[in-house]
Amino acid sequence: MNYFSDYGILVAGLVTFGLAQGILSVSSITNLRLSIMQNGIKESMISISFVSMGYLTATSVGATIGPLMAGVLYQEFGFQNATLFLIVGNLILVHIFSNLHNRNNLK
């Protein structure tokens, strides 16, 4: 087993995950707030708490399902392929959410 390549893949995966999490957090909260306001609900403490509740619920579901999915990926595909899936999956999510954010801002 080549530990240096495993370490490099792990560092790349964690850096990609951190960047993706930061980018997705800001864009998803902004999109939620904008879509609420576009649907006629004015900005108030209730609408802001609704956005926070939606974001918290989504991250809690992800924190619950994520380790289970990681265990399955690790057992079935090994460390390197599971980490590569993490990197590619996060990059795809960032691309999708950035396109959605740009589409909402152009309206």
Side-chain angles (χ1 to χ4, degrees):
M1 182 187 289
N2 188 355
Y3 290 106
F4 290 111
S5 67
D6 287 348
Y7 182 72
I9 289 174
L10 179 63
V11 168
L14 290 174
V15 167
T16 306
F17 176 71
L19 289 172
Q21 186 177 9
I23 291 169
L24 292 175
S25 295
V26 171
S27 64
S28 61
I29 289 173
T30 304
N31 276 333
L32 278 171
R33 191 180 62 78
L34 289 175
S35 65
I36 284 174
M37 289 171 44
Q38 287 173 353
N39 288 323
I41 299 173
K42 57 185 168 179
E43 192 167 1
S44 66
M45 283 303 285
I46 293 173
S47 64
I48 291 171
S49 63
F50 181 73
V51 168
S52 297
M53 185 243 350
Y55 179 74
L56 181 63
T57 302
T59 54
S60 296
V61 169
T64 303
I65 294 174
L68 176 68
M69 214 170 118
V72 170
L73 285 171
Y74 179 74
Q75 278 187 328
E76 293 296 319
F77 302 108
F79 174 76
Q80 289 182 338
N81 291 332
T83 307
L84 186 63
F85 176 79
L86 173 77
I87 293 170
V88 172
N90 279 314
L91 291 175
I92 290 171
L93 284 175
V94 166
H95 180 70
I96 289 170
F97 275 93
S98 66
N99 284 341
L100 286 174
H101 183 70
N102 289 338
R103 195 173 305 146
N104 283 344
N105 284 341
L106 293 175
K107 289 181 179 179

